[in-house]
Amino acid sequence: MQNHASGSEALLPLTPAVFHILLALADGERHGYGIMQEIAAISEGRLRIGPGTLYGSIKRMLVDGLIEESDERPDPALDDERRRYYRLTSFGRQVAEAEATRLARLVGQARTRRLLPGVEALVDLGGA
Amino acid sequence: MRHLTKRLLALSDRAYRLLLLAYPAPFRRAYGRHMAQVFHDCCRETYQRGGPRELARLWLRTLADLVVTAFRERVSESDSTNTATPIHALLRAGEGRGTVRRFFRRSDCERRESGALTRRANRVIKLAADEARIFQHAAIGPEHILLGIMRESEGVGALVLQDLGITLDQVHRSVQQSAGAGGDQESEWPKLSQRAAKTLEHAAEEARLLNHNFVGTEHLLLSLTYAGEGGAAETLDRIGVRSDQVRGQVLQVLASNRMRC
């Protein structure tokens, strides 16, 4: 599996939906609705993805090996319907890191070109 | 009032389920239930927060999402018909290619009648090549085909493995244990091993026995349950899954759904 690293750059840049899903899964597994809620939290409500975008992205991310299905179980906080949970693979984590690095470099470039005046703007960008 | 809310949400659920027909059937089979569930959760939460007004907004957003993504899924569904190139590349590079080439030539000739690999099965081979490359194995073996079936994620083969609770990580570990990380030279298109060629031949045989005129992911999976040269019974064994379990599940799914994948 060690050779995955060289492959992680090939998928960049990620679509906003894919990168947000990776972010949402970074601290543990979630089901579809959980991912949506987490994306709303991460983006402070700025990015809203519909079920079609969510599962279309999940499908492609499964094929690319970025995420994998964990198991199907009910979420006690919602109801007793069984939900399918997803989690990051180690390759998915590498790709998320590579994308974050790419974005950080880009932000650095913006700063040297005086397009990013203060820290407030950076915080603002973080949610976009 | 509570009663009215309930009815409104139930109506909303039903309408969305109907609209899911806009997506291609395999996508719907794999994710339709989950999409309906997620939409239901969104509706409930949105209604509690903002009443009918916010619910109407959610519907508008969801409709826009549906139109765009249903179109995208339909395009990607028809796009993926064109996966023959990597296989030809495989065959060009391949050892044991005599057998495989015969297999493919035959399926080319008889494309209308029998033996043609389905789109999904083609994709499985492409993903198997990818797995062999990742493991730095010089040739694609049956175990990589097993990984390919899992990663393809929508065909009957993948559904059966999911139903049995097998995860990609488990299979990765099992392959790693048996074959190691392989220091073989990396090539863009790993060769198809003699054993993998056997898997394909057995898969064609399985299809013939079932009276199917195509070779799909289910037939690939069936042929992997053998302990012989073209099988991956050992890999399955190490995960704690018995071959006859896999076989039984495939046949059951085929019998109950008659799905073509």
Side-chain angles (χ1 to χ4, degrees):
Chain A
M1 307 271 4
Q2 65 274 55
N3 206 46
H4 260 144
S6 60
S8 57
E9 304 252 322
L11 292 170
L12 308 188
L14 302 174
T15 66
V18 168
F19 188 47
H20 277 80
I21 294 172
L22 289 176
L23 286 179
L25 293 175
D27 58 356
E29 56 180 50
R30 291 177 200 278
H31 52 69
Y33 183 56
I35 295 175
M36 262 191 179
Q37 285 177 311
E38 189 61 18
I39 288 180
I42 291 169
S43 69
E44 291 161 3
R46 286 190 185 86
L47 183 76
R48 288 173 175 170
I49 63 173
T53 304
L54 177 67
Y55 281 97
S57 307
I58 283 179
K59 174 189 136 185
R60 278 172 263 280
M61 291 166 81
L62 284 168
V63 169
D64 289 336
L66 297 179
I67 56 173
E68 63 182 0
E69 286 165 358
S70 117
D71 57 352
E72 224 172 275
R73 60 174 192 270
D75 180 341
L78 289 166
D79 47 37
D80 54 1
E81 265 195 88
R82 283 157 62 83
R83 283 150 210 278
R84 185 173 287 167
Y85 282 71
Y86 299 93
R87 62 169 169 241
L88 282 192
T89 60
S90 50
F91 178 55
R93 193 166 288 278
Q94 281 169 22
V95 170
E97 282 167 9
E99 176 72 342
T101 310
R102 186 187 71 84
L103 289 172
R105 280 201 199 111
L106 217 54
V107 170
Q109 286 295 331
R111 196 176 292 129
T112 58
R113 286 168 170 73
R114 295 172 181 279
L115 290 170
L116 199 67
V119 179
E120 308 86 75
L122 184 66
V123 170
D124 216 37
L125 242 177
Chain B
M1 193 62 207
R2 240 189 113 74
H3 185 61
L4 199 69
T5 306
K6 254 199 170 130
R7 277 188 50 185
L8 190 63
L9 289 179
L11 188 71
S12 177
D13 277 359
R14 267 217 299 284
Y16 186 68
R17 270 193 197 135
L18 213 60
L19 285 169
L20 282 176
L21 287 171
Y23 293 96
F27 185 77
R28 221 164 53 223
R29 264 201 306 265
Y31 300 109
R33 183 171 69 84
H34 303 292
M35 288 165 77
Q37 204 175 36
V38 161
F39 184 65
H40 171 84
D41 293 333
C42 288
C43 283
R44 195 170 49 185
E45 189 259 338
T46 307
Y47 193 87
Q48 275 167 7
R49 190 167 36 84
R53 207 190 163 83
E54 277 302 309
L55 185 63
R57 282 207 182 140
L58 173 67
W59 255 103
L60 281 181
R61 276 204 310 274
T62 308
L63 279 178
D65 175 70
L66 185 130
V67 171
V68 174
T69 56
F71 181 71
R72 187 185 299 152
E73 292 307 325
R74 290 210 173 258
V75 169
S76 90
E77 191 70 12
S78 55
D79 259 7
S80 47
T81 352
N82 190 22
T83 45
T85 335
I87 287 187
H88 289 142
L90 275 175
L91 292 181
R92 266 203 302 280
E95 127 199 318
R97 64 185 168 188
T99 343
V100 187
R101 200 170 260 170
R102 260 201 312 284
F103 175 83
F104 281 106
R105 202 161 46 216
R106 188 168 60 211
S107 46
D108 269 338
C109 302
E110 300 167 7
R111 193 164 284 278
R112 295 281 164 263
E113 294 105 57
S114 73
L117 277 187
T118 61
R119 231 180 322 107
R120 289 180 197 290
N122 262 311
R123 184 156 174 73
V124 165
I125 306 295
K126 194 180 147 203
L127 291 167
D130 194 39
E131 285 297 330
R133 194 173 47 75
I134 289 165
F135 273 107
Q136 293 180 294
H137 293 158
I140 303 169
E143 58 281 4
H144 302 120
I145 297 183
L146 181 63
L147 288 165
I149 292 175
M150 299 207 67
R151 278 183 54 190
E152 186 277 327
S153 83
E154 285 180 3
V156 173
L159 295 182
V160 165
L161 294 171
Q162 281 162 23
D163 280 350
L164 290 170
I166 302 173
T167 67
L168 198 58
D169 260 5
Q170 278 178 313
V171 185
H172 270 147
R173 270 198 299 274
S174 174
V175 173
Q176 185 111 33
Q177 270 171 29
S178 65
D184 301 335
Q185 263 181 353
E186 193 186 341
S187 70
E188 198 183 350
W189 287 108
K191 299 175 237 170
L192 209 56
S193 71
Q194 200 70 253
R195 289 166 60 230
K198 265 274 178 296
T199 309
L200 292 178
E201 283 193 339
H202 280 155
E205 193 56 39
E206 291 286 350
R208 263 195 294 280
L209 287 173
L210 286 165
N211 235 351
H212 292 162
N213 59 356
F214 56 90
V215 178
T217 62
E218 61 271 46
H219 308 114
L220 288 175
L221 184 56
L222 282 174
S223 93
L224 288 176
T225 59
Y226 287 114
E229 201 189 358
E234 275 176 47
T235 311
L236 290 168
D237 219 41
R238 259 192 304 277
I239 308 168
V241 184
R242 289 196 325 275
S243 289
D244 56 329
Q245 260 179 299
V246 178
R247 250 192 121 68
Q249 186 79 3
V250 172
L251 296 175
Q252 201 181 336
V253 169
L254 289 178
S256 62
N257 281 332
R258 314 193 103 206
M259 287 198 286
R260 278 194 52 159
C261 284

